[in-house]
Amino acid sequence: MMRCVLLGTLGLLLPTALVAQSVAEVQVAPPSVTIRAGERTGLLATAFDRIGNVIPPVRIIWSSNNVNIAKVDNNGTVTGVANGVAIIEARVGARRGQAAIQVTGGASPAPPPAPPPGPPAPPPPPGQDLSGQPSGSGPAAALRLEPGVVYLLPSENTRVSPRALRDDGSPAAPVVVTWTSLRPDVASVDQSGNVVALAPGQGTIQATHTGGLTATAPVVVQQAEFTVREGSPLLLAPGEVDTLHVIVATQNNRTVNPLVLQWASSDQSVVRASLAGVVTAVGPGKAILTVSGLLQSKSIDVSVHQVVTKLSVRPKLSDEVQVPLTGSTKFEAQALTSENALVPEARLRWTVTDPGIASFDPQTGLLTGRAVGKTQLMVRGPGSGLSVAWNISVIAGFPRFVQPRVGIGINQRRTLRANYADEQGNVLAPATNLTWSSDSPQIASVGEDGTVTGAAYGHAKVTATAPGGRTATADVYVVGEIVVASSRAAPSTPGKFQLYAVERSNLAQLTKLTPATDTASASDPAFSSDGSRIAFVSSRDGNAEIYVMNADGTGTTRVTNDPQPDGRPSLMPDGQSLVFHSSRTAGKQQIWAVNVDGTGLTQLTRDSVNSSPAMSPDGQTIAYVSTRNKDGDIWLMNRDGTNQRQFTRSPQQRESEPRFLRDGSLAYLVERREGNRTVQQVIRADLATGATTALTGTDLAIASFAVSPSGDLLALVVNAEPQNRRNPVYRVYVQPVGSATPVPLPTIGLEQMITPAFRP
């Protein structure tokens, strides 16, 4: 509350009854004065209404509690009479203000004569002030003073009140007491219980009831520094009202009587202060508030920030914010002006409706789930109506990766995502505030947001830890961009291929994937859509069968087992099943589906000869080669074998080697006659419209190919000696789409390369 002191003469401008009724407080300034006997000084009284506004000049009734020490006239002029302390009172109706007057340099007044012995004093006449004693009934059995110990600074004053008690400790009827200071050189006390500190030391005041009851309280007068409890700097919003408290730390942090203090502002257009320490922020800016009194002065810096008109919050308001049990979610709020300027110094107040459901830390902005249930988080800004509330639902859940396996390349980045799920695996909410770690950062490191970066070929386990200690682990495999089958390990043995990985940035650096102990042939690699698994064909058990391994070459498991050779695997997007071709029925190749654990073998085609299946990125369509029309064409069917339909119709050419791109378009190899020669060319087709685009020219003898998921790079299997069809020499060339300059992967001696595949 802000109060402005009005200094001026007194006059009767309003009806006395009306003024007395509206006055809520009377203040006298200065609150304490020391004068010599015979000297005069002026006191000023100000009346305030209940909201702190100064009431225009009103009639003040002045009085002194001891005219033998100091007297006062109707204008508030005080005259010192004799050594001692007197309390000067200014009264408007029932409201009173006081000032303590210490008079020095004169003779001490004669003590009043002792009253003659007689019967007990009669009860106080109606209307007599009983020093603020609480109401009670019955005779008093004991007397107590409040406070029980009085701490004061020199020249400070306070009031002590008696308490009459019955035998059971309950309030008795108020009693009249006589006050005495047993050390008048240290502290004085008047008959209203007003105590004034005169000099450092320890004294005692005593209250005596005529019935024989007595109570005492020690008075400790010490010279000590006072401080402003609220500290400096003080941050306020325009229009905000606060009350400052001056305390003495060495005296149990007690509050100094505000009536003995004076407040001043260096800039009243920024902040104003009343005599009671009530400050009001007026407008943006900086000012210094100074409090003085009792021969001391302290200052605090005050900063009033700009007017805040709105709050910007995150997350955005929605129907409900889900927080996992023991987990945390971050909330943010910023105070803004009408021009959207940030007001960082504005104070925001955060509250949770039910702290038993969730707790909130304003320092970190984290709301933590404590118990399953619903509550509300609210932030309030410095202004009327500036508040935002989120509905919070605390749920029980465990972190669970969206993709628990992922394959990436060297220097490639991928952000892992996780959800909170219940014990049945049902997703509850996106996982937030996870702590990330990698067991092999030299292979794959992980950032604070779950982004993993490939550093070297191999396998790393990345762990996400939720608040509360629950964890989830993802397998990260770092593998080359292109995997090829090469005879490098046995260049002089026809058909002896092993799998190698290579990067487009360093085509000469091949890294072997299949184990060194595996001496059998391996070819036809095919990645899973997450890049973490590779299906391939191997003859390690004496026959061409389908196997699946991790992308780093570990964990090889056999999928098929049949006397007839199986080949051309293509993994479903879930990595748990695949399609392949096999001639296990009547010696004709057909398309089959099987789970990677070898179960669920299903024949998808049954007529003519069908081969080279390729699975679409969405897992819904299989492209394959069929000779149903006595010619090699591309056909399509659903993943369960239904809706088999012809896609290409070109008797003059043969289509083979279908390969899906990431966008769902289809690339395939075309062979046709041009003049007196046979040419091969890679074509890209849109499944919806059938429109085609050539990806290569016709100058290479292309036997097979692979295309990168984005469609920007081709890996071509080329017969380096096209005139030698009986004993072809296969090499793999890498060619950017749109470029006419294919670059061969370097080979050693008689080394050959076939069946390339791109990492997703």
Side-chain angles (χ1 to χ4, degrees), residues 28-84:
V28 178
S32 61
V33 179
T34 300
I35 61 175
R36 298 178 63 83
E39 288 184 345
R40 305 175 67 190
T41 188
L43 299 179
L44 300 173
T46 306
F48 300 91
D49 63 17
R50 62 183 180 83
I51 61 173
N53 296 318
V54 176
I55 298 177
V58 295
R59 182 181 179 186
I60 306 292
I61 298 176
W62 294 90
S63 62
S64 170
N65 74 332
N66 192 340
V67 294
N68 294 322
I69 301 296
K71 56 186 179 181
V72 61
D73 63 17
N74 291 336
N75 295 319
T77 301
V78 178
T79 303
V81 178
N83 286 346

Side-chain angles (χ1 to χ4, degrees), residues 326-351:
T326 74
S328 299
T329 298
K330 190 174 182 61
F331 289 80
E332 297 177 350
Q334 293 179 322
L336 303 175
T337 67
S338 58
E339 292 80 23
N340 291 323
L342 186 63
V343 187
E345 63 272 27
R347 287 185 295 180
L348 303 177
R349 292 169 293 163
W350 297 84
T351 56

Side-chain angles (χ1 to χ4, degrees), residues 735-746:
Q735 177 181 344
V737 172
S739 170
T741 309
V743 179
L745 269 66

Side-chain angles (χ1 to χ4, degrees), residues 234-467:
L234 180 67
L235 300 177
L236 298 174
E240 185 177 0
V241 177
D242 200 358
T243 299
L244 302 183
H245 303 83
V246 177
I247 62 171
V248 183
T250 58
Q251 296 179 356
N252 299 324
N253 289 316
R254 71 171 183 86
T255 302
V256 176
N257 184 352
L259 295 179
V260 303
L261 303 170
Q262 298 87 48
W263 291 86
S265 170
S266 64
D267 189 342
Q268 294 204 20
S269 67
V270 175
V271 65
R272 298 174 183 170
S274 74
L275 292 177
V278 178
V279 298
T280 300
V282 180
K286 296 181 181 296
I288 298 175
L289 282 178
T290 303
V291 57
S292 57
L294 304 175
L295 305 178
Q296 298 185 50
S297 179
K298 294 290 184 295
S299 297
I300 63 170
D301 297 322
V302 180
S303 177
V304 180
H305 61 69
Q306 299 181 67
V307 177
V308 176
T309 61
K310 51 190 170 183
L311 297 177
S312 173
V313 299
R314 185 184 301 173
K316 296 180 179 179
L317 292 180
S318 60
D319 293 337
E320 191 172 73
V321 178
Q322 292 184 322
V323 180
L325 183 64
T326 74
S328 299
T329 298
K330 190 174 182 61
F331 289 80
E332 297 177 350
Q334 293 179 322
L336 303 175
T337 67
S338 58
E339 292 80 23
N340 291 323
L342 186 63
V343 187
E345 63 272 27
R347 287 185 295 180
L348 303 177
R349 292 169 293 163
W350 297 84
T351 56
V352 176
T353 304
D354 188 346
I357 299 296
S359 62
F360 184 78
D361 184 352
Q363 299 300 320
T364 62
L366 293 179
L367 180 96
T368 302
R370 298 299 183 194
V372 175
K374 296 181 182 295
T375 185
Q376 191 176 70
L377 173 67
M378 177 176 287
V379 58
R380 293 182 175 86
S384 176
L386 284 177
S387 65
V388 173
W390 293 268
N391 293 320
I392 306 297
S393 177
V394 178
I395 56 179
F398 303 84
R400 184 174 182 178
F401 280 110
V402 175
Q403 250 186 327
R405 296 171 58 94
V406 64
I408 59 175
I410 294 176
N411 297 322
Q412 186 181 8
R413 297 161 63 90
R414 183 82 60 84
T415 299
L416 300 179
R417 305 293 182 190
N419 292 318
Y420 286 112
D422 59 22
E423 294 181 351
Q424 289 72 43
N426 300 311
V427 173
L428 302 174
T432 57
N433 300 300
L434 299 172
T435 302
W436 299 86
S437 63
S438 170
D439 70 341
S440 300
Q442 72 278 10
I443 293 174
S445 61
V446 62
E448 294 181 356
D449 63 346
T451 298
V452 292
T453 303
Y457 292 158
H459 170 222
K461 286 186 175 295
V462 172
T463 300
T465 303

Side-chain angles (χ1 to χ4, degrees), residues 13 29 117 121 130 150 187 195 208 236 259 262 274 277 310-311 353 365 428 499 509 543 640 702 727:
L13 301 181
L130 293 178
V150 180
V195 180
T208 304
L236 298 174
L259 295 179
Q262 298 87 48
S274 74
K310 51 190 170 183
L311 297 177
T353 304
L428 302 174
L499 299 182
Q509 185 65 46
N543 189 41
D640 61 358
I702 303 172
N727 296 302

